[in-house]
Amino acid sequence: MPNRARRANGPAAVVALALLALAGCAPDGRPAQTSPPPSGAETPTATSPAPSPPPAPPPVLRPDGTVRELATGLDAPWSVVALPNGAVLVSERDLARIVEVLPGGGTRVVAEVPGVAPGGEGGLLGLAQLPGDGEREASLYAMFTGTDDNRIVRMPVTGDPGAIALGAAEPVLTGIPKAGNHNGGRLAFGPDGFLYATTGDAGLREAARDRGSLAGKILRMTPDGAPAPGNPFGTHVWSLGHRNPQGIAWDASGRLWAAEFGQNTWDELNLIEAGGDYGWPVVEGIAGDPAFVDPVLQWPTSEASPSGLAAAGDALFLAALRGERLWAIAPASAAAPTAEAWFAGEHGRLRDVVAAPGGGLWVLTNNTDGRGEPHAGDDRLLLVGLTG
């Protein structure tokens, strides 16, 4: 017995006492007594982590007044696009050429696109680029007016800046109605990875609201040219009732906007809804008719004739041809954004505007297309500075 008593007071007893304490019991098996919290003390409660603050809204940008020439001597330029490797390409409508803008301000001809039949407002129009992904080669997409139709083609892109080369053109979508005017022509890949294209009514006014026609529409397709999944009518058509849209851009929240030529009264800036009917030829401008989607903003045709459209920060920028100015529209997120005119009459007709990869805006003038008054050095690629 004495030996067993001594062993009970040894390390094993310490372990047993610890286990009892962890179990909330006193050494004799009764529940351990706990002291109440001091008077006035709060009983601890479980709390959820503090919610993360919402992301800061993008800045409302506007031109800072600076303009720098990046290239001169362009011939009726229509679209400008940046490749992932830093190369800059411009389409020349009437010569059917794609030229590369070099760092020193010069240009080199990359390719003359076969099959282009320039005439009136038709010719080599919009460009869009799709980077390679390891399985798919990098491609440049172009929309142009051919002998019988407007069409979209793609060409493989190779080479480094200063030595860009294009392979053979492969049809992506054909059969888009053509005319001497109202050909649309803008191309862009959206945040969803699908290719969007604007088409004019090609003088076929009633076709703009015909779901079975490709005229007077915004189209949405896969990179191979098939109707994109989720299109509202199961066809290429994303929206309809357009007269001659030539600008598309996505704002910071991913919403699609389009700039559109009116006829005699109103040019439009539209927020695009899938399946939306924008009214042409029944209405022009804001109609207040629930059957149609009204534009967010409208201008007299003398102040706009809009072509290219870009988004940067919480603002949109619209290039005006007849209006010879750059419209800054902000905030893009507002229900009723306001428009401010910049550079009115300073650079002539403006055909395209895009957000430059290094900041600011690239702007293409368009004074050599037969409708402008060219000055020495026209046409030009300009860099417009932005500030918040």
Side-chain angles (χ1 to χ4, degrees):
M1 283 295 286
N3 290 336
R4 285 196 297 272
R6 282 194 294 271
R7 284 196 296 271
N9 291 330
V14 175
V15 172
L17 290 171
L19 292 173
L20 287 170
L22 289 172
C25 297
D28 60 2
R30 293 174 297 167
Q33 300 296 313
T34 59
S35 300
S39 177
E42 295 183 0
T43 303
T45 57
T47 59
S48 300
S52 300
V60 175
L61 300 177
R62 62 197 298 266
D64 64 8
T66 63
V67 179
R68 183 161 64 92
E69 289 184 351
L70 300 181
T72 60
L74 300 170
D75 190 293
W78 212 93
S79 180
V80 57
V81 66
L83 301 183
N85 63 8
V88 181
L89 302 180
V90 173
S91 63
E92 294 183 322
R93 187 190 70 186
D94 298 339
L95 296 179
R97 299 191 313 188
I98 295 172
V99 300
E100 181 180 1
V101 177
L102 304 175
T107 60
R108 59 177 288 269
V109 177
V110 174
E112 183 174 333
V113 180
V116 180
E121 296 174 3
L124 181 57
L125 305 173
L127 301 178
Q129 64 87 23
L130 184 65
D133 63 1
E135 298 180 0
R136 178 188 62 223
E137 62 186 353
S139 296
L140 182 73
Y141 288 68
M143 185 168 177
F144 66 80
T145 309
T147 303
D148 301 315
D149 60 1
N150 283 305
R151 54 180 51 205
I152 300 169
V153 300
R154 65 181 173 190
M155 298 160 280
V157 181
T158 58
D160 296 321
I164 296 297
L166 299 176
E170 172 191 7
V172 172
L173 181 65
T174 62
I176 303 168
K178 60 161 280 189
N181 54 16
H182 302 186
N183 291 296
R186 194 65 62 188
L187 293 179
F189 278 94
D192 55 11
F194 295 117
L195 178 65
Y196 290 72
T198 70
T199 69
D201 69 6
L204 307 170
R205 293 162 59 100
E206 300 303 323
R209 299 188 61 231
D210 179 356
R211 296 181 184 180
S213 172
L214 296 178
K217 307 293 190 296
I218 293 177
L219 309 178
R220 178 175 177 262
M221 68 200 79
T222 68
D224 294 326
N231 281 4
F233 312 118
T235 66
H236 288 89
V237 175
W238 187 246
S239 61
L240 66 156
H242 299 287
R243 181 176 179 270
N244 191 20
Q246 287 191 1
I248 49 176
W250 288 262
D251 64 19
S253 62
R255 299 181 302 169
L256 174 61
W257 296 80
E260 181 167 342
F261 285 86
Q263 185 177 24
N264 300 316
T265 310
W266 297 113
D267 293 325
E268 302 176 359
L269 176 68
N270 288 299
L271 183 58
I272 301 301
E273 303 172 3
D277 184 342
Y278 289 80
W280 177 256
V282 179
V283 297
E284 180 184 357
I286 297 171
D289 186 331
F292 308 116
V293 183
D294 275 342
V296 174
L297 288 173
Q298 62 183 20
W299 296 266
T301 56
S302 60
E303 297 180 2
S305 296
S307 188
L309 182 67
D314 194 12
L316 300 167
F317 300 91
L318 185 149
L321 289 163
R322 184 180 173 192
E324 297 189 352
R325 67 199 72 185
L326 181 70
W327 286 102
I329 299 135
S333 58
T338 58
E340 181 182 16
W342 283 81
F343 313 116
E346 294 183 23
H347 305 288
R349 294 160 55 84
L350 305 182
R351 172 63 74 180
D352 196 14
V353 55
V354 302
L361 301 170
W362 285 338
V363 176
L364 278 178
T365 69
N366 199 192
N367 299 312
T368 58
D369 69 345
R371 296 187 176 181
E373 298 179 1
H375 299 282
D378 278 341
D379 269 313
R380 309 163 191 266
L381 174 63
L382 308 174
L383 176 62
V384 173
L386 293 177
T387 182

